[in-house]
Amino acid sequence: MNYGVELRNHLRELRHFHIRLTISAGFVVLLFCLLLTRFFYLQALRGEHYTTLAEANRIAIMPLVPNRGLIYDRNGAILAQNHTTYALEIVPNKVASLESAIDELATVIEITPEDRQRFNKLRRESTRFKSLPIRTRLSDTEVASFAANRYRFPGMEIKARLLRHYPHAELLSHVIGYIGRINDKDLEQLENNNELENYRGSLHIGRIGIEQSYEKELHGITGFEQVETDVAGRYVRTLSRTPPVAGNDLVLSLDIKLQQAAERAFGDYRGALVAMDPTNGEILAFVSKPGFDPNLFVDGIDHLNWRLLNESIDRPLNNRALRGIYPPGSTFKPFMALAGLELGKRTSEYSINDPGYFSLPGSQHRFRDWKPSGHGRVNLHKSLVISCDTYYYTLANDLGINNIFSFISQFGFGRKTEVDIPGEVAGLLPSPEWKMKRFKQNWFPGDTISVGIGQGYNLATPLQLTFATMILANKGTAYRPHFVKQIQDNKIGQLFENKANQMHTLDLKKENLKHVNNALADVTRPGGTAARAGANAAYTFAGKTGTSQVINIKQGERYIASKIQERHRDHALFTAYAPAENPKIVMTVLVENGGSGGSTAAPIARQILDYFFLGKTPEPILAEKANNRSH
């Protein structure tokens, strides 16, 4: 058998090799083209974008939080300021086991149960914040102790923070208000108002009072710092800096010494006071007693203190001067008297015989005077001086509710005064339309009689009463009440005056105003319901006492304060202005459950006026047992 030897075909193998080489070379060229295309895309088309990203890895933009504006009283006394403190803050998402880490931290510095509760509350309310404080106001010893153990606590660091401080604590709590931690709701609102960028790095925002209503003035303008960092994120150097602009400073119309005098005059009584300059609407003193310490709220109030404030029977969180609504009682009578004169239902000479009560025609019900035996013959002047209820029962019946409502609403009853802090309530000047809407009931003649002496559905705030009394003292001119007197613009270094805002002037007859004002001046003289408070005054002052009923007394029964629970006793009221002939100050004093206006509220007002005009330091008014109602 023959076996042939197969010869290799070199030409064919060479051809196959050339084909494989060409394919491989083409593949390499294709890959190289793809690489060049990608390189062109990254360098030429997207170069600027990736350069920016690279810079971002190397350059950090740090917000510079502005100093919050300061708040002063009219004489330059500081009412709200900033101070530097050290806070220990935690970034929750950088801590593996948060509770265990806090337990371990508590072995280095003190962490109380209240601190934990506050921290957990902040976590719930501020989910968008990276860093939250577990402790503030660290001592130097605590700072050093944590620094020595820093390596044990990843996600925790000490930061220097500016904290708000209110040196007068509860004295001005309802005026100044306070700032609080920014929460998610605040961030959403800032975003909707296109203000979020200006709050980068900021932790606090105004909550109530001046701090809230003037937030835009006080906050300032956030600055920015461009810094270079290394691969570990550590600071290397500052590349550029846009400094922050401090918030504007506010100068209030309040006089802190007058405020302190008013607080002292109240003693242990609960109540409210508003004192105002009638020539421009500047508020000189604004008391709501008791108050609270606003410093508790700056970095989040703990559960215990919140419960004590919120559940207190004395309601310290309630702004009585702004939001407390009370029947105005007999302080309503001067406006009724003026309505009678202006609308032609009364003259200064017209008089009635007061038997101690009034009854509607065909009714056996008696609307009683505070003096059971009556006051005898009473004209308009005497009706105000002795505060005769029966005179105003008859006047209300003659005027009718529609005339009462349309005339007296001009003095601000039943509407907001537009004061420059938030939260004001409108009170209530009732009308038949209101009653039908509120109770689905018709208006009855007896409703009108009660309104005539400031009772029934009538409700007003101490601020409203002061506003109405200002119009009376000004002979018809109303100014918008306000707290801010001046604004110091720290960006341009200029001081701006908050000029008086004249709201309106009522068209009232001079002789009618003279009759009412003369009678109010005699209220503080012998024979008047505030004669004791006005005795031996070195200046003239006009006023009107009032007693605001808390509970009704049945027909035939007498009001005996000693037999009534303290918090069911009447409120005491007094409105005043001085000097009577050219007023420089107008005020309302309300003492909750204080009895009669003449025995409690008027003496407090006299002490404040003595301080205002004479510089005399007040002495607290002692509680007095008032066994009968008087006005």
Side-chain angles (χ1 to χ4, degrees):
M1 188 174 208
N2 292 327
Y3 293 93
V5 177
E6 184 179 354
L7 297 176
R8 297 176 64 183
N9 190 335
H10 293 287
L11 289 175
R12 187 176 60 185
E13 289 182 358
L14 184 62
R15 188 169 59 252
H16 288 167
F17 173 75
H18 283 159
I19 290 171
R20 288 194 298 271
L21 183 62
T22 301
I23 292 172
S24 298
F27 184 69
V28 170
V29 170
L30 178 62
L31 290 177
F32 188 70
C33 289
L34 289 174
L35 186 62
L36 284 175
T37 302
R38 183 63 178 170
F39 182 75
F40 177 78
Y41 172 78
L42 294 175
Q43 291 294 319
L45 300 182
R46 300 285 288 168
E48 186 176 347
H49 170 70
Y50 287 103
T51 299
T52 302
L53 290 180
E55 287 293 315
N57 288 332
R58 185 177 66 89
I59 298 171
I61 305 297
M62 307 296 293
L64 301 174
V65 179
N67 289 345
R68 193 170 180 84
L70 306 179
I71 303 176
Y72 300 91
D73 88 332
R74 66 188 301 118
N75 298 310
I78 191 73
L79 306 180
Q81 61 189 355
N82 309 309
H83 68 93
T84 304
T85 186
Y86 290 104
L88 177 56
E89 300 192 0
I90 300 176
V91 181
N93 59 10
K94 288 187 178 181
V95 180
S97 176
L98 194 56
E99 289 301 322
S100 298
I102 294 176
D103 289 339
E104 187 176 355
L105 178 64
T107 65
V108 178
I109 64 171
E110 183 182 12
I111 304 293
T112 66
E114 289 76 19
D115 292 329
R116 291 175 185 258
Q117 289 171 356
R118 183 168 51 243
F119 177 76
N120 290 328
K121 183 173 183 288
L122 289 173
R123 285 185 67 198
R124 291 192 299 270
E125 295 178 351
S126 311
T127 56
R128 290 165 67 178
F129 275 100
K130 295 180 180 178
S131 178
L132 297 171
I134 182 72
R135 268 288 311 277
T136 57
R137 300 179 176 88
L138 295 175
S139 67
D140 292 341
T141 302
E142 289 174 319
V143 171
S145 179
F146 178 81
N149 292 274
R150 171 71 180 82
Y151 67 94
R152 296 167 52 192
F153 302 104
M156 302 185 190
E157 60 181 324
I158 288 178
K159 293 184 178 180
R161 297 289 190 189
L162 275 181
L163 278 188
R164 200 65 156 172
H165 179 62
Y166 305 101
H168 296 286
E170 69 177 56
L171 185 67
L172 293 168
S173 54
H174 289 290
V175 179
I176 304 298
Y178 55 84
I179 63 171
R181 299 278 302 192
I182 294 176
N183 56 36
D184 289 345
K185 185 178 179 181
D186 298 320
L187 290 173
E188 184 179 345
Q189 187 171 351
L190 289 169
E191 196 167 15
N192 293 338
N193 295 338
N194 296 317
E195 296 174 343
L196 188 57
E197 188 68 15
N198 195 38
Y199 279 79
R200 284 187 60 188
S202 295
L203 300 177
H204 297 89
I205 196 168
R207 283 282 173 245
I208 64 171
I210 295 293
E211 292 279 27
Q212 180 183 355
S213 57
Y214 286 86
E215 171 65 25
K216 289 185 179 181
E217 297 285 350
L218 291 164
H219 177 69
I221 302 173
T222 299
F224 294 93
E225 194 171 52
Q226 206 174 35
V227 299
E228 183 179 351
T229 60
D230 61 17
V231 291
R234 293 186 291 264
Y235 171 85
V236 175
R237 62 190 173 109
T238 298
L239 300 176
S240 65
R241 189 175 192 273
T242 301
V245 178
N248 295 334
D249 298 335
L250 303 181
V251 178
L252 305 189
S253 56
L254 290 173
D255 182 338
I256 189 61
K257 291 185 177 179
L258 182 65
Q259 182 86 6
Q260 290 168 334
E263 286 270 344
R264 180 173 173 79
F266 262 86
D268 293 330
Y269 278 117
R270 302 178 304 278
L273 172 141
V274 180
M276 190 186 303
D277 184 339
T279 66
N280 53 25
E282 290 181 357
I283 297 176
L284 306 173
F286 194 84
V287 173
S288 178
K289 230 176 127 55
F292 59 92
D293 185 355
N295 294 297
L296 294 172
F297 289 85
V298 171
D299 237 14
I301 188 168
D302 62 77
H303 177 73
L304 176 61
N305 279 309
W306 170 250
R307 187 166 59 83
L308 289 173
L309 289 173
N310 198 43
E311 297 178 5
S312 170
I313 192 173
D314 290 329
R315 299 178 299 147
L317 296 175
N318 180 35
N319 189 335
R320 289 164 163 83
L322 186 73
R323 298 180 56 80
I325 48 176
Y326 308 86
S330 294
T331 62
F332 195 71
K333 290 175 182 175
F335 307 99
M336 286 290 296
L338 196 56
L341 293 170
E342 288 286 320
L343 299 178
K345 297 295 184 180
R346 291 291 182 271
T347 65
S348 60
E349 296 83 14
Y350 177 87
S351 64
I352 65 161
N353 182 54
D354 171 24
Y357 63 90
F358 169 80
S359 295
L360 286 164
S363 171
Q364 297 299 313
H365 179 83
R366 290 184 174 186
F367 294 90
R368 295 168 298 178
D369 194 283
W370 67 265
K371 185 178 181 181
S373 60
H375 298 279
R377 207 74 197 166
V378 180
N379 61 11
L380 184 139
H381 185 93
K382 184 179 178 181
S383 74
L384 289 171
V385 173
I386 62 172
S387 199
C388 174
D389 290 334
T390 306
Y391 185 93
Y392 290 95
Y393 293 147
T394 63
L395 176 56
N397 190 50
D398 291 345
L399 281 169
I401 189 59
N402 290 326
N403 281 331
I404 293 172
F405 179 85
S406 61
F407 182 84
I408 292 183
S409 63
Q410 299 177 98
F411 291 84
F413 289 98
R415 63 183 69 172
K416 296 180 181 180
T417 67
E418 301 179 21
V419 68
D420 56 342
I421 59 173
E424 182 183 12
V425 297
L428 176 61
L429 183 62
S431 66
E433 292 75 18
W434 167 83
K435 188 180 179 186
M436 178 57 68
K437 183 178 179 180
R438 177 67 178 82
F439 296 109
K440 301 293 187 290
Q441 294 178 0
N442 291 323
W443 188 267
F444 299 111
D447 296 333
T448 305
I449 306 306
S450 296
V451 168
I453 61 164
Q455 295 289 162
Y457 299 118
N458 242 346
L459 294 170
T461 68
L463 177 60
Q464 284 179 315
L465 283 172
T466 309
F467 179 77
T469 306
M470 171 185 65
I471 299 175
L472 200 61
N474 279 346
K475 299 176 174 56
T477 300
Y479 291 97
R480 181 182 176 225
H482 60 278
F483 286 98
V484 173
K485 181 179 176 66
Q486 297 170 322
I487 299 176
Q488 172 67 43
D489 190 321
N490 286 323
K491 186 176 182 180
I492 61 175
Q494 189 172 345
L495 187 67
F496 292 94
E497 291 285 337
N498 190 9
K499 295 181 181 178
N501 181 0
Q502 184 173 325
M503 300 174 73
H504 57 261
T505 298
L506 303 183
D507 184 17
L508 303 171
K509 294 177 182 177
K510 291 183 178 179
E511 60 270 25
N512 292 338
L513 284 165
K514 184 178 179 180
H515 289 313
V516 173
N517 286 324
N518 285 346
L520 296 181
D522 282 348
V523 167
T524 65
R525 293 172 179 146
T529 53
R532 279 201 308 162
N536 304 314
Y539 46 86
T540 60
F541 72 104
K544 184 69 194 79
T545 57
T547 301
S548 172
Q549 295 179 15
V550 176
I551 59 171
N552 290 321
I553 301 298
K554 295 178 182 179
Q555 287 274 305
E557 290 185 3
R558 285 189 62 197
Y559 174 86
I560 302 175
S562 59
K563 294 185 178 181
I564 297 174
Q565 184 183 346
E566 188 264 340
R567 291 178 187 271
H568 290 163
R569 296 173 189 170
D570 294 342
H571 301 318
L573 287 153
F574 188 65
T575 56
Y577 54 91
E581 61 280 1
N582 185 25
K584 302 297 182 187
I585 185 172
V586 57
M587 75 171 70
T588 296
V589 176
L590 175 133
V591 182
E592 285 190 357
N593 312 116
S596 72
S599 63
T600 310
I604 291 175
R606 167 64 187 275
Q607 292 212 52
I608 297 163
L609 291 173
D610 278 354
Y611 176 82
F612 184 80
F613 289 111
L614 310 175
K616 292 177 63 176
T617 302
E619 292 296 331
I621 300 296
L622 298 176
E624 180 177 318
K625 291 183 179 179
N627 288 326
N628 344 313
R629 274 186 175 146
S630 61
H631 296 237

